[in-house]
Amino acid sequence: MNMPIHPAPRGKLVAIGGAEDKDSETDILRQVLKFAPKPDPRVGVITTASSIPDEVFAVYCKVFERLGASEVMDIRIRERADAANVAMIDMIKQSDVIFISGGDQMRLTSIFGGSAALTAIRNRYEDGGVIAGTSAGAACQSTTMVYGGNAVDSLRKGAVRMTAGFGLIDGVIIDTHFLERGRFSRLMEVGATNPEYLGLGLGEDAAVLFDDGIIHAFGPGHVILVDSSGITGSNVFDLAEGEAVSVHNVIMHALVNGNAYSLTDRRILSKDELGASKAEKKNAYS
């Protein structure tokens, strides 16, 4: 469950910060469907993380049908046994877009971890499908996942709890509802103990597309990046559990719709570079 996917997937991976607009402009969900490999995609909705899965599915079914989905399927995985159910796995295989709702990400990983359903999701991503998730459905996407930590003061040794995620994207830690719930200290603590990870804080109604080593921000909200790879000092290794962490020279970026960031060399990309990248891809497929 904690292994990154190889070779590089041909699909699209979208992480959404939560509370995305489902009623008016629906910018983010509309864009998710546009990433699909065909104009009238089949959408499979996974509501495993939610405590009210039927109600959540009804909301997403309505919005995806309105946005042009040819079919919206309820992938009803509630318990570990369901993650081996042939009918559920077939729906995953048939989905052009797999959408994972919010709720409790530990419920997602404990039910899907090591399962045939998770293998099917990974395979669908490799084969060209869209995997999108909001809130818990976004946080679970990374190889290592944050599942707890006090938003008020997590900059203390051991305050942030992490475990294995779905392994769809490596090298990042995703946190959601980031600005609205004041979760800066969570990613600061992650960076102090794991400087190799890029902290990715998604505000509500904000999203990113992971594509070929580039993070593309879209939607009305903010995407915050916390880069600790160049830290010059920290006291974390000298501390007992719960003591205050010091960390120096952390770099932060605030991205909005249209901004992009290179995971390879950890820098913001200019509009000219993005334009050149799009032209190269177009030529490669023409």
Side-chain angles (χ1 to χ4, degrees):
M1 185 172 166
N2 59 351
M3 295 296 291
I5 293 176
H6 298 289
R10 293 189 289 119
K12 305 289 188 184
L13 182 64
V14 177
I16 305 167
E20 69 281 357
D21 174 23
K22 305 176 191 67
D23 299 313
S24 55
E25 297 301 319
T26 60
D27 291 336
I28 289 175
L29 298 180
R30 189 182 304 276
Q31 185 60 58
V32 166
L33 291 199
K34 287 182 180 179
F35 291 139
K38 60 183 185 180
D40 54 348
R42 281 182 165 182
V43 179
V45 179
I46 295 173
T47 56
T48 306
S50 176
S51 61
I52 49 169
D54 293 333
E55 291 91 331
V56 170
F57 173 75
V59 170
Y60 283 110
C61 182
K62 183 178 178 181
V63 68
F64 284 132
E65 285 180 343
R66 177 167 61 86
L67 293 175
S70 61
E71 183 179 1
V72 183
M73 298 178 287
D74 187 1
I75 303 176
R76 296 177 64 85
I77 296 176
R78 304 285 188 261
E79 306 295 339
R80 283 284 297 178
D82 300 331
N85 185 294
V86 173
M88 298 298 106
I89 293 165
D90 283 346
M91 280 195 280
I92 291 171
K93 292 178 179 179
Q94 294 166 18
S95 298
D96 301 301
V97 176
I98 297 169
F99 188 86
I100 307 171
S101 80
D104 182 349
Q105 58 257 44
M106 279 295 285
R107 183 167 172 78
L108 277 170
T109 54
S110 64
I111 288 176
F112 277 87
S115 71
L118 181 54
T119 298
I121 290 171
R122 288 171 170 168
N123 289 342
R124 192 69 196 91
Y125 181 35
E126 288 181 15
D127 293 341
V130 177
I131 312 298
T134 185
S135 191
C140 74
Q141 295 176 2
S142 53
T143 300
T144 302
M145 175 187 81
V146 169
Y147 73 92
N150 188 342
V152 175
D153 187 8
S154 287
L155 201 52
R156 294 181 178 276
K157 186 172 182 177
V160 177
R161 296 183 293 277
M162 294 185 287
T163 188
F166 280 10
L168 299 172
I169 180 70
D170 197 28
V172 302
I173 297 285
I174 301 170
D175 211 346
T176 58
H177 305 280
F178 189 70
L179 296 168
E180 294 76 10
R181 300 184 185 178
R183 289 176 167 171
F184 278 91
S185 63
R186 295 214 312 193
L187 289 187
M188 291 280 284
E189 203 271 350
V190 168
T193 54
N194 301 273
E196 75 275 20
Y197 287 124
L198 178 72
L200 176 59
L202 296 169
E204 292 180 356
D205 212 19
V208 294
L209 167 69
F210 298 102
D211 184 29
D212 196 23
I214 298 175
I215 298 173
H216 298 268
F218 67 100
H222 281 89
V223 175
I224 307 298
L225 302 180
V226 180
D227 180 5
S228 301
S229 61
I231 61 173
T232 54
S234 175
N235 65 345
V236 68
F237 44 84
D238 290 326
L239 302 177
E241 290 290 305
E243 290 188 318
V245 172
S246 169
V247 57
H248 312 147
N249 202 40
V250 176
I251 298 172
M252 288 190 178
H253 306 280
L255 275 58
V256 296
N257 185 63
N259 292 159
Y261 181 87
S262 170
L263 277 169
T264 306
D265 47 11
R266 297 212 173 189
R267 63 186 181 86
I268 302 294
L269 297 177
S270 69
K271 290 183 179 180
D272 289 343
E273 288 175 304
L274 282 174
S277 175
K278 289 178 182 178
E280 287 172 5
K281 287 188 176 183
K282 184 177 179 181
N283 291 335
Y285 292 105
S286 60

